[in-house]
Amino acid sequence: MSTSLPFTQFYNSWFDQLRHLVHHLSTVPLTPDQNEDHLLPLVNKVMSHHEDYFHAKSLATEKDPLHVLASPWVTTMERSLYWITGWRPTTAFHLIYTESSHLFESHIIDILRGLHTGDLGDLSPVQFQRVSELQCETVKEENAITDELSEWQDSVSEMMGPRPDLNEKIGRLVIIIKKADDLRLKTLRSVVGLLSPQQAIEFLIAAAELLVGIRGWGLNHDRAHRR
């Protein structure tokens, strides 16, 4: 996907492609299989799509971080849920736990019989431990970046001085936004990396459906409340 487009245009095109990708993934048969290598190209395709988004957003941030912070290309619903211009990284772990719990309950009889479903409801103890560890690490990094933004906002008094260095202040904002996006992508890669290909596809479908659902609700809300 071209990253030379204005970011609003890029985002709309990117989101349409995300819808097509999740529709395609939803049609892929997912059954317990010893060899899931045939699913890896699909996982990589979705991950590449997310990487394209963060690359384009990085360029937009360097160009105008205040515009990116305002995020006019999203709905008011999406913006109300944002953490520094995007989804909160720890959301990924809440999604894992929710999907795992739902699938575990739906397959409880098979699991009690010792059958393996291979899906997110069949996470191993080692996977659960790694998810927990990653969540703790991500919370710490989230909090550190949040503190950086708070310090940036608290430094507003510096702009009232005789010679405020606005370029330096804007430059600091660029760094903060990029750190937040780097953490989002790092978290996505880490979660996908600890899952099997089948589980990764289920996670990516759930994540995309969450994004698409929130955007849909937001569009309906904004149309209903358009002034």
Side-chain angles (χ1 to χ4, degrees), residues 89-136:
T90 44
T91 301
F93 303 104
H94 297 305
L95 192 59
I96 283 280
Y97 291 131
T98 299
E99 290 297 307
S100 179
S101 176
H102 173 73
L103 289 170
F104 179 84
E105 290 176 4
S106 66
H107 299 317
I108 186 65
I109 301 300
D110 290 334
I111 293 172
L112 290 175
R113 290 174 178 170
L115 301 177
H116 289 285
T117 59
D119 57 21
L120 285 173
D122 195 23
L123 292 175
S124 70
V126 172
Q127 285 177 309
F128 269 119
Q129 180 180 355
R130 187 60 186 136
V131 168
S132 179
E133 291 170 350
L134 281 172
Q135 184 178 17
C136 291

Side-chain angles (χ1 to χ4, degrees), residues 71 75 79 90 95 106 110 169 174 180 206:
S71 301
T75 64
R79 202 174 300 119
T90 44
L95 192 59
S106 66
D110 290 334
K169 187 169 180 65
V174 170

